[in-house]
Amino acid sequence: MGDELRFADNDTMAGLVGKVAGAYLETTWLWPRRYGLVAPFSFVLADPRATSLDARELQALSRDLQFKLFGDKGDGDIALLMFEGDQTDVMRFAGINGAQLKALLDGEGESPFAGRVCRITPTEVTSVVPKGGPVCGAPTMEELAALAAADDAEAAGPPARVGYRGVYHGPRQTFIGSVAVWRQAQVASAFGLTPPHVEVNRPEEDILILGGAAAALAAVPVGVLFFPISFSTLVKPRARAELLPHLEALPRGSRLRLAVGVYDTPRAPSFSALSQIKRFLEPFFGRVDLRVTDPAFQIDELPPGLANSVTLALPPGDEPTRLAAVSRFVREGPAYRRKQVWQGVADVRTRRELNHCIELGLPFMTGEAVTDLMEQPVGASPLPWLNLPLHDWSVTPEAGSVSSVA
């Protein structure tokens, strides 16, 4: 395996491995199981129903990788390592260096981690630590499949509540904060399984989301928090009057950390409407973000000082349509820079959409390809874009593993 380990620093290889492994896990490692890419070539897997994991389940992944990387008769060999232990050791294992990885693959030396290690190839599964130990979990993968069917039949799902998507700055590879989202009832998990349509903003939910502002600010000491408010609400006197007490309840000392996302902003809003919105919101929010659905938003007509940013919510439809909307939006970049207005894209769903945004240099992005729908907001913190999406590990898994590909 020594020759194959030279790929460990290859971004192209890391991207390909991540794509193949992610596609496999998306279709097989289903809720209530959870998974996430935590480092190049390393995934964390968790199953709250199992007392241990079953290495045999990942043999199909090793076959997929073998075929994608080397074909039917290629010269290379694929081997996965599955480490099973507590969450601290799992995350340490994800960052081991090439020499440690090779030693474990070759079955040499002592493991520095307290847990079980299995070596998985397209043709066999063996226990490395302990040598000759079991490779099958309890319950077995067959028993877990039956449990999953029963869970699907009985699951009622949690109540409606506020969730959060991280807002990521692509050029600096760091999160700047989070946008609050209303999570519908019966959405079982934030863990990359939330259907995009449940995150449609509705004016009747804006006040409910604002009610979580104080708790969200207390949960993370740094980072901006974006709260959605409908454009139509802000231009109607009666609707503004109903909203005002809830804005006045926001923590005044945190104004600079609070931002408003004015969604359903039309393609060419009038100066009077925007001026009115700005005056109404300014005492409560440090930033105003206009959320639009048209990539050809009339930025040249936007008066200076009325918005800090404009965020494009990607249209429904197939991926080529959504990618084209990103490209159209980015073409207006020079006009946005002249106006000193930031650009952002919301509802980024796939790795291809995320890569497209990053390659085009878009400053800000959010969506399920960036983070889970989190139980707590994301603070201001760096994260390499290859490690996106950020997953919600707020619930400690009863069983977890990391598979490192060499």
Side-chain angles (χ1 to χ4, degrees), residues 239-312:
R240 285 200 307 272
E242 292 175 0
L243 179 64
L244 184 58
H246 302 279
L247 296 180
E248 291 175 335
L250 294 172
R252 290 298 182 94
S254 300
R255 175 183 172 275
L256 293 180
R257 289 187 59 201
L258 295 175
V260 58
V262 183
Y263 63 90
D264 291 341
T265 299
R267 184 172 185 264
S270 69
F271 173 77
S272 60
L274 289 176
S275 298
Q276 184 181 66
I277 288 171
K278 177 74 171 180
R279 286 195 302 272
F280 180 68
L281 295 175
E282 196 164 30
F284 313 107
F285 297 98
R287 308 184 191 192
V288 175
D289 175 51
L290 301 180
R291 300 221 153 194
V292 302
T293 57
D294 190 337
F297 174 77
Q298 297 297 290
I299 181 62
D300 285 325
E301 305 302 319
L302 181 67
L306 294 188
N308 302 93
S309 57
V310 173
T311 295
L312 172 68

Side-chain angles (χ1 to χ4, degrees), residues 168-176 342-343 357-365 383-385:
Y168 190 72
H169 188 279
R172 287 190 288 139
Q173 299 189 59
T174 187
F175 286 99
I176 63 142
W342 293 101
Q343 287 178 290
C357 291
I358 289 172
E359 288 165 3
L360 293 177
L362 266 167
F364 299 106
M365 57 208 75
L383 185 72
W385 68 268

Side-chain angles (χ1 to χ4, degrees), residues 15 18 81 90 95 133 135 155 165 171 182 199 201 222 246 306 363 381 396 405:
L81 278 184
V90 163
V135 298
R165 295 277 192 199
W182 186 248
E199 293 179 33
N201 293 119
V222 292
H246 302 279
L306 294 188
S381 58
T396 301
V405 179

